[in-house]
Amino acid sequence: MNRIIHIGLDVHKDSIAVAVLRPDTTEVDERVIPNTPEAIRKLLSRQDRTKPKATTNVSDRGLTGHLISTFLEMSRERNESARSPG
């Protein structure tokens, strides 16, 4: 069974267009969220509840996309270190 969630991000200054493809479905969930750390955290926490094996984030590599990509990498590293035993 495929447990990978694919998340596509089209990053703009004030908003982020999000497309999510969940395991075992062909329907894409599309929405627009504000370009704020809180909105991104909420989006990622929503995906964490499904307990996927892995998450693939694809983001725009312009300046705003680069900032989001860096934020995602830092969040992932922080989460992995919090899960690691002492």
Side-chain angles (χ1 to χ4, degrees):
M1 176 183 353
N2 179 9
R3 297 297 308 150
I4 298 175
I5 296 175
H6 297 276
I7 303 173
L9 304 174
D10 186 10
V11 182
H12 302 272
K13 180 181 175 186
D14 298 319
S15 65
I16 303 171
V18 180
V20 179
L21 179 63
R22 291 183 175 76
D24 305 322
T25 184
T26 58
E27 293 183 32
V28 177
D29 176 20
E30 297 180 61
R31 69 182 80 150
V32 176
I33 63 171
N35 188 348
T36 64
E38 296 80 23
I40 297 166
R41 279 190 204 99
K42 184 176 178 182
L43 172 72
L44 296 178
S45 70
R46 205 175 292 143
Q47 306 316 315
D48 284 345
R49 284 184 287 206
T50 63
K51 304 290 186 216
K53 180 176 179 184
T55 302
T56 303
N57 297 297
V58 181
S59 63
D60 180 331
R61 284 300 185 165
L63 176 59
T64 53
H66 178 73
L67 294 173
I68 296 296
S69 181
T70 300
F71 175 81
L72 292 172
E73 289 171 18
M74 291 173 59
S75 295
R76 180 177 296 134
E77 289 171 8
R78 190 173 321 122
N79 287 340
E80 287 173 1
S81 65
R83 291 180 192 156
S84 298

